[in-house]
Amino acid sequence: MNCFLLFIPAVYPPPTAPAANMFGNVPGYEGIAAGGGGYLPPPMPLEPVAPPQPGPEQDNWSVPALSEDVASEAFKSYASSHCCYSSGPAEDGVITSMEPYNTFRYRLETYTESRSTELAHKPHEGEVADFYTQTAPQPWEIQVPVPSLFTNETKEIRVPYTSSIKVSGLRKQCWVCNGSGQKDAGNCTRCDASGKDRCTKCKSQGSTDCETCKGKRQLLTYIQLKVEWTNNVEDHVVEQNSGLVMDNLCSVSGKELFKNNHYLLYPLLGFPNPAISEASERLIREHQSKYAQTSRILQQRQTVELIPITKVNYKWKGNSHVYFVCGNEHQVSADYPATCCCVIL
């Protein structure tokens, strides 16, 4: 049903519901009637940036070498997990050499909270129409519990003192006279010159098929605050010229060498590999500049891992081939030499 909406006097104090552009006059929510308030600039941060910290101490920064048996089993498991891969290379291939290419990965996580506003409505279920009974709180003044740090979550909240009630009309515009009440220089017989046609979908009862009011006949309209917590993660992996595509390391883990978190981090100084220190300085600067414009930074965390990577050279049917075994998970990356086209009937 196409319901038409009319403002009626609220059945609770204060008096009548305001006009359609009422929300544009609410301090802190100007312009929302035009389609939403968008993301709102956060308040100025109160906490200082973390002071410089010394680099991590180099203590037992090594990972055990991968054995041929483990590399072979990882390759077999990899082949069996692909329906179009023949088992031949994994079962019959002969390892000729293994080379370690262990590398460092720097990860920066910036946990942010962003707030946006929009007009919303729901079926009225007895809620009080509190529009302008008090001054509505500013978007960033509304207290919302923060979830566990570094976890993504979204909450939608009705802004206090912005709710009013509308009635959901039971008639729609007449399709014969287009709401004019006149047709061919005379009264429209379809709608009896009223310009409104009886809705055949809900039989003008407003209680069965109306998708807007769900049969409640009244809508609660209000400003809705949307709060989003996002963990923004970015990695930098030190290239080792092994031939492995670094993107393949996104889903593996390594040996954790260093981790710290603070409201706003200071770059990691004095790391033995200068590429990690450079990545830390660059990513922290970029994150703080990028996310502080439209969201509030709640916490940052930086981690350095040593990712085990082993390049395995093997021969199969007289030809030389390569695969990589990566991470604590022994994940395999390979250009597999024996594939087929599966036909599913």
Side-chain angles (χ1 to χ4, degrees):
M1 163 185 173
N2 296 322
C3 296
F4 67 93
L5 303 178
L6 297 173
F7 289 106
I8 64 168
V11 295
Y12 310 99
T16 57
N21 63 352
M22 59 184 179
F23 296 123
N25 299 321
V26 179
Y29 301 90
E30 294 85 355
I32 191 172
Y39 286 99
L40 306 166
M44 292 296 294
L46 300 177
E47 298 187 48
V49 176
Q53 298 180 352
E57 295 183 3
Q58 192 167 345
D59 181 27
N60 192 25
W61 283 15
S62 62
V63 290
L66 195 70
S67 68
E68 286 193 10
D69 288 343
V70 172
S72 180
E73 287 301 317
F75 197 35
K76 292 175 183 177
S77 177
Y78 169 76
S80 65
S81 68
H82 293 75
C83 65
C84 296
Y85 285 9
S86 165
S87 62
E91 295 288 346
D92 305 326
V94 177
I95 294 176
T96 56
S97 65
M98 296 173 59
E99 307 167 72
Y101 282 91
N102 304 331
T103 191
F104 297 110
R105 177 174 64 196
Y106 175 83
R107 172 168 290 172
L108 176 64
E109 300 168 85
T110 298
Y111 192 55
T112 61
E113 176 184 322
S114 61
R115 298 191 175 195
S116 59
T117 57
E118 60 185 358
L119 297 180
H121 65 261
K122 63 179 289 294
H124 181 232
E125 298 174 306
E127 298 91 345
V128 173
D130 60 3
F131 184 75
Y132 265 145
T133 57
Q134 294 187 40
T135 302
Q138 298 283 312
W140 284 99
E141 292 176 347
I142 299 173
Q143 298 297 311
V144 185
V146 178
S148 299
L149 291 177
F150 306 107
T151 58
N152 296 330
E153 191 171 324
T154 300
K155 286 185 179 180
E156 294 178 343
I157 300 165
R158 189 165 72 244
V159 176
Y161 313 118
T162 65
S163 299
S164 63
I165 299 173
K166 294 179 181 179
V167 66
S168 180
L170 301 180
R171 290 182 178 269
K172 62 181 180 179
Q173 180 173 286
C174 177
W175 61 272
V176 175
C177 64
N178 295 321
S180 68
Q182 303 292 313
K183 182 69 175 176
D184 298 328
N187 290 341
C188 176
T189 57
R190 171 74 186 186
C191 63
D192 294 328
S194 69
K196 299 297 177 182
D197 192 14
R198 182 179 178 84
C199 178
T200 57
K201 199 168 186 179
C202 71
K203 298 181 177 58
S204 294
Q205 297 302 307
S207 60
T208 54
D209 298 322
C210 179
E211 295 298 324
T212 304
C213 68
K214 307 300 182 187
K216 298 293 184 180
R217 301 194 185 196
Q218 288 183 323
L219 296 175
L220 186 75
T221 63
Y222 54 92
I223 297 177
Q224 179 169 271
L225 174 67
K226 185 177 182 181
V227 186
E228 296 178 87
W229 294 275
T230 307
N231 191 29
N232 304 279
V233 183
E234 197 164 353
D235 292 344
H236 176 82
V237 179
V238 178
E239 292 281 355
Q240 292 287 44
N241 298 318
S242 63
L244 175 68
V245 178
M246 292 295 105
D247 290 344
N248 293 337
L249 299 178
C250 294
S251 58
V252 302
S253 61
K255 181 176 182 178
E256 187 177 288
L257 305 179
F258 176 79
K259 177 189 285 186
N260 77 322
N261 61 284
H262 198 269
Y263 160 61
L264 289 177
L265 286 171
Y266 198 87
L268 182 59
L269 302 176
F271 196 84
N273 188 313
I276 292 295
S277 296
E278 293 170 5
S280 176
E281 190 278 331
R282 174 177 58 83
L283 291 178
I284 288 176
R285 181 182 68 250
E286 291 176 356
H287 275 217
Q288 292 177 0
S289 172
K290 177 181 180 181
Y291 296 116
Q293 302 302 313
T294 57
S295 59
R296 179 167 60 183
I297 296 177
L298 301 180
Q299 195 83 183
Q300 289 188 301
R301 178 166 65 191
Q302 57 185 349
T303 309
V304 180
E305 294 173 279
L306 180 60
I307 309 294
I309 301 173
T310 301
K311 182 177 182 179
V312 182
N313 301 284
Y314 71 102
K315 281 195 171 183
W316 180 66
K317 290 188 175 182
N319 295 318
S320 296
H321 303 279
V322 171
Y323 66 90
F324 295 88
V325 182
C326 310
N328 296 331
E329 299 81 2
H330 298 153
Q331 178 175 296
V332 170
S333 176
D335 183 9
Y336 203 73
T339 61
C340 64
C341 295
C342 296
V343 177
I344 301 176
L345 300 178

